[in-house]
Amino acid sequence: MGTALIYDEEMTKYKLLWVDPACKIEVPERLSVSYEALVRTGLSDRCVSVPPREASDAEILLVHSEEYLEGVKKTPHMTLEDLKEFTLQYGDVYFHPNIYHCAKLAAGSALQLVDSVMTGKVRNGMALVRPPGHHSMRSAASGFCVFNNVAIAARYAKQKHGAERVLIVDWDIHHGQGVQYCFEDDPSVLYFSWHRYERQKFWPNLRESDYDSVGKGSGAGFNVNVPWNEVGMENSDYLSVFCHVLLPVAYEFCPDLVLVCAGFDSAIGDPEGEMCATPDIFAHLTHLLMNLAGGKLCAVLEGGYNLTSLAQSVCQTVQTLLGDPLPQLANLRSPCESALESLQCVRSVQRRYWSILKHAADSATTDVSNKRIKLAKAEEEKAETAEDERSQEEKVWPEPAERLRPPVCSASVLPDDAACPDGLKRLVSSKDLGPLLVSRIRNRSMEDAGDADGVATFSRLYTLIEKMRTNEIGNGVALVPDVAAAVECVVQDLGSDLVSRVLVVCVGKEELNYATADGKMLVVQISGEDKEEQKGKYYIPVCLKKGCGDTVGFIQAVFGLLLPLGYEYDPGLVLLVRMPGSGVGDCMWQQLIGLLKGFAKGHTLVLMQTNDGACMGPTASALLGHPAPPLQELLTPLPDDGGALERMRERLQADWKMLQTTVSSGN
Ligand SMILES: NCCCNCCCCCS
Ligand SMILES: [Zn+2]
């Protein structure tokens, strides 16, 4: 299924008609440069073009009051003076004779996108709209917004398409207070927003934008605010919040639809956000949401005021929706202290509502309060001096790397009698291996496979890895007689000299005995077995007391440990090994493959035992990029196995910074 793109130049046909410094950044070019970039890069041609439509009164009234709508309806006939007068009643917004028409088109575009996704016409899509929507409230325009496009879309998805749970992810750098107000007592809509806050010093300066606004009444727990109390947040800060807050909660919520308030003023170069995350981060943020709700994801443009980073960020988002390989995020750092403080505070207030966060550390500890005071003082001092220098420096960043789709998406190495799943290209040609390698393979425990096909299998594996390295092949799966021996061979002989860093993810209990001390390989083994103490920084045994069939534990291990480790390690190849009898469920297995595609430009090699061929279907489906089915088990989580994973993370975070979720105690 394809990706919808909704755009119409009509929505560029309104602008600021008087002097207002607060509004001058919201210009028509925001929309045209975004669309032109999609055209220039050839991305728009690969999308399914869906026309916008005007939202009806009834649809607008799903969120807004009659008196507000009646007021806005009068604006097309107003004189300039009347428009100014009408605008004065609201904050940081402006009206124009054509803005009512454009606001109906913007809201209607979001509804067209919801229809296209919910009816299965497309898998996902993006609506390029203006005016934005997430600040507008039931009876008020605000922050360049007139109608709350995404809030209307959420109500519409429930009413018209029977969606029971809708997740709204707001990665715009401003708090979408309009969305929060709309759903704060509604447990069927989970609203997540991060936003520049600076302890309420940043617009819209609301007390209720802080992390302790968790929703009201039956909506308690269904509002998640992550305040950024400093500017300059980077890719690692954003990814930490996704891994340690949003994704665990989103998976437990198990939505039927994901709506994204896709504002790009959270990217580097934006005058509003003053953050440092690069446009390619949106490829990963989008990817990390694409296995929720069976892939049903609607991204609706909100903010974004630096025309260069806006256009790049829009392209990164659309290219990921189309399923192209992800860019490698180079040199991620540790989340900054201020981000860790926010992370710890959010997790500690939300843990009472989300069992998946149940073991999150408390934030009432003296460390956090001392840290908060220290950070606040530091910010005060910095604020005085930084203002002038910050406004002067022009931010520069590298153009995002090209993301080339390999000629072959997925390949397979199979025994002759095994059927090749649809869509996979069977590798038969085997690269002739040098005699040294052949002898090494021969004397490696290949006796049970009979060395003839043993060598053939390995030469095909070698070919597969080689073709991933040259990006002729995206990913692959190999059915081998002895998976433990295959792993040993691949990492010992093939993987390491082909790629610099191999992330080996083992699901199941087999003993893996090869040195990993040199950092060329990071082994994360998820099993039900209690392992002896981990052997050094690069071998991390994760023990799930209830085994790999325990979906809650598995998801906690994936988001709390595996993904942060993977981002920090930044491998050139991912080796996913399914040990026989691992007990991992097919849905979880597909989710895992889908999520691991975020690393190594999607170069994942799955190794499975021949007699485990039953899960070849789900494996092939996930490798080909089909969305993984939702994990329904998370809806009724069983009490998990205690804080073992939390304790493990605390122990490991000295070596792996991306595992941190609390401020460093003491200093
Ligand atoms: N320095 C200009 C102040 C603008 N404040 C309102 C921003 C609304 C953003 C909507 S995404
Ligand atoms: Zn914004």
Side-chain angles (χ1 to χ4, degrees):
M1 278 196 291
T3 292
L5 178 61
I6 303 186
Y7 169 78
D8 190 305
E9 70 164 349
E10 179 60 23
M11 287 182 271
T12 67
K13 294 187 166 49
Y14 77 91
K15 63 182 182 181
L16 184 55
L17 295 175
W18 51 78
V19 174
D20 177 357
C23 294
K24 68 177 188 301
I25 52 175
E26 206 296 307
V27 296
E29 290 74 18
R30 293 180 54 239
L31 216 51
S32 45
V33 302
S34 300
Y35 181 67
E36 281 152 18
L38 290 172
V39 171
R40 186 174 60 252
T41 53
L43 289 169
S44 60
D45 291 342
R46 294 173 54 196
C47 294
V48 176
S49 175
V50 172
R53 67 169 169 86
E54 291 189 349
S56 67
D57 285 10
E59 288 157 348
I60 292 164
L61 294 173
L62 285 171
V63 166
H64 297 285
S65 65
E66 302 236 2
E67 63 271 7
Y68 176 65
L69 176 55
E70 290 320 306
V72 174
K73 271 186 177 176
K74 297 191 179 85
T75 54
H77 322 297
M78 287 182 180
T79 64
L80 189 61
E81 284 319 305
D82 290 346
L83 279 172
K84 279 184 183 175
E85 182 71 25
F86 184 79
T87 298
L88 282 179
Q89 61 187 322
Y90 306 119
D92 288 52
V93 64
Y94 63 87
F95 278 82
H96 175 283
N98 195 35
I99 199 170
Y100 169 53
H101 179 213
C102 295
K104 285 189 286 182
L105 287 173
S109 297
L111 304 184
Q112 288 284 82
L113 188 51
V114 167
D115 283 345
S116 307
V117 165
M118 292 304 280
T119 60
K121 177 181 176 195
V122 295
R123 173 172 37 164
N124 55 38
M126 176 149 208
L128 288 179
V129 302
R130 70 185 275 273
H134 68 152
H135 296 302
S136 61
M137 292 158 271
R138 180 167 160 67
S139 300
S142 170
F144 315 147
C145 304
V146 176
F147 298 140
N148 201 315
N149 309 318
V150 168
I152 294 168
R155 287 248 161 93
Y156 177 84
K158 288 172 64 188
Q159 184 189 74
K160 178 173 177 189
H161 296 283
E164 291 176 7
R165 292 180 302 282
V166 179
L167 168 65
I168 300 176
V169 178
D170 190 336
W171 67 44
D172 185 286
I173 204 58
H174 297 93
H175 180 220
Q177 83 279 32
V179 184
Q180 172 167 311
Y181 298 151
C182 189
F183 299 113
E184 62 189 342
D185 56 1
D186 182 347
S188 70
V189 179
L190 169 56
Y191 178 58
F192 167 91
S193 170
W194 61 37
H195 31 271
R196 182 178 172 182
Y197 188 58
E198 290 176 303
R199 300 187 201 286
Q200 208 174 329
K201 288 196 180 52
F202 189 71
W203 189 90
N205 312 92
L206 298 170
R207 173 66 186 78
E208 61 268 29
S209 301
D210 210 349
Y211 60 83
D212 54 350
S213 289
V214 296
K216 294 175 178 167
S218 59
F222 295 93
N223 192 83
V224 182
N225 282 339
V226 180
W228 299 122
N229 290 314
E230 286 178 14
V231 292
M233 293 300 164
E234 299 183 351
N235 294 343
S236 39
D237 302 305
Y238 287 7
L239 285 171
S240 296
V241 165
F242 260 54
C243 290
H244 297 305
V245 177
L246 173 60
L247 292 167
V249 165
Y251 270 81
E252 184 170 336
F253 181 61
C254 197
D256 309 303
L257 173 65
V258 178
L259 301 179
V260 180
C261 286
F264 298 106
D265 41 19
S266 38
I268 190 167
D270 193 278
E272 279 293 300
E274 297 189 72
M275 297 299 170
C276 294
T278 47
D280 47 6
I281 194 63
F282 296 103
H284 286 265
L285 301 185
T286 305
H287 162 75
L288 288 167
L289 298 172
M290 276 170 69
N291 281 294
L292 286 159
K296 293 195 291 300
L297 188 153
C298 301
V300 181
L301 181 67
E302 295 281 359
Y305 305 97
N306 175 309
L307 302 184
T308 307
S309 70
L310 169 62
Q312 289 176 5
S313 303
V314 165
C315 289
Q316 288 296 312
T317 303
V318 171
Q319 193 168 8
T320 300
L321 291 174
L322 283 164
D324 280 10
L326 291 160
Q328 268 183 280
L329 289 175
N331 50 53
L332 289 173
R333 298 177 3 165
S334 147
C336 69
E337 277 299 279
S338 178
L340 287 172
E341 183 212 340
S342 299
L343 198 54
Q344 181 168 352
C345 291
V346 175
R347 281 164 53 92
S348 72
V349 293
Q350 293 291 350
R351 66 183 182 167
R352 65 200 65 154
Y353 304 104
W354 300 98
S355 63
I356 207 150
L357 293 180
K358 186 166 61 180
H359 304 288
D362 199 344
S363 81
T365 61
T366 49
D367 278 351
V368 181
S369 45
N370 292 343
K371 184 65 77 173
R372 285 170 65 84
I373 293 161
K374 216 176 281 184
L375 284 168
K377 284 207 175 67
E379 279 151 30
E380 289 303 322
E381 282 132 38
K382 226 182 340 180
E384 271 97 56
T385 59
E387 195 43 55
D388 47 352
E389 80 204 22
R390 214 165 45 204
S391 51
Q392 268 138 26
E393 82 200 6
E394 266 302 301
K395 288 285 182 189
V396 288
W397 63 93
E399 179 112 14
E402 210 172 9
R403 298 164 53 185
L404 293 172
R405 185 182 273 259
V408 172
C409 172
S410 305
S412 66
V413 169
L414 306 165
D416 298 347
D417 58 351
C420 182
D422 290 350
L424 264 59
K425 180 181 184 314
R426 186 177 207 139
L427 263 198
V428 286
S429 70
S430 56
K431 187 182 180 78
D432 52 331
L433 304 176
L436 174 71
L437 205 43
V438 170
S439 64
R440 270 205 293 204
I441 290 170
R442 276 234 168 84
N443 60 39
R444 230 177 253 292
S445 60
M446 291 310 299
E447 60 283 346
D448 55 347
D451 59 2
D453 32 342
V455 175
T457 301
F458 281 101
S459 55
R460 275 180 266 160
L461 264 184
Y462 186 99
T463 308
L464 176 48
I465 293 175
E466 176 67 13
K467 286 179 182 292
M468 283 200 278
R469 200 177 59 79
T470 58
N471 208 38
E472 292 171 67
I473 291 178
N475 55 42
V477 53
L479 276 187
V480 293
D482 173 344
V483 79
V487 183
E488 203 166 314
C489 198
V490 170
V491 291
Q492 214 62 352
D493 300 328
L494 308 185
S496 50
D497 56 12
L498 277 181
V499 284
S500 51
R501 289 185 304 282
V502 181
L503 169 63
V504 183
V505 181
C506 289
V507 178
K509 62 185 179 307
E510 288 289 321
E511 196 42 54
L512 297 162
N513 49 5
Y514 34 80
T516 58
D518 56 4
K520 278 190 166 183
M521 212 171 18
L522 167 62
V523 180
V524 179
Q525 181 161 13
I526 304 175
S527 74
E529 304 289 302
D530 227 336
K531 295 275 170 200
E532 79 289 347
E533 262 318 284
Q534 101 198 64
K535 305 172 215 155
K537 173 177 179 181
Y538 293 101
Y539 173 64
I540 298 172
V542 182
C543 166
L544 300 180
K545 293 224 177 23
K546 292 184 297 192
C548 295
D550 165 18
T551 307
V552 175
F554 206 104
I555 277 288
Q556 283 175 317
V558 167
F559 293 124
L561 282 165
L562 179 57
L563 290 190
L565 286 170
Y567 275 113
E568 182 164 353
Y569 183 61
D570 186 22
L573 173 71
V574 175
L575 194 56
L576 173 58
V577 183
R578 182 188 175 104
M579 294 295 183
S582 67
V584 63
D586 280 355
C587 288
M588 188 68 246
W589 179 247
Q590 292 178 76
Q591 290 283 348
L592 180 58
I593 294 175
L595 289 164
L596 287 173
K597 288 177 97 158
F599 302 123
K601 296 178 185 146
H603 295 315
T604 302
L605 170 56
V606 178
L607 284 182
M608 302 194 302
Q609 197 123 307
T610 312
N611 57 20
D612 212 355
C615 78
M616 176 55 93
T619 302
S621 164
L623 287 174
L624 288 167
H626 304 313
L631 293 166
Q632 301 291 352
E633 307 90 309
L634 288 171
L635 281 170
T636 56
L638 306 170
D640 66 6
D641 60 28
L645 281 172
E646 274 312 300
R647 285 191 296 279
M648 172 172 227
R649 270 189 330 94
E650 278 149 30
R651 202 175 63 243
L652 289 168
Q653 65 185 358
D655 281 334
W656 299 97
K657 304 291 174 222
M658 285 294 285
L659 296 181
Q660 295 175 85
T661 56
T662 56
V663 292
S664 45
S665 57
N667 65 335

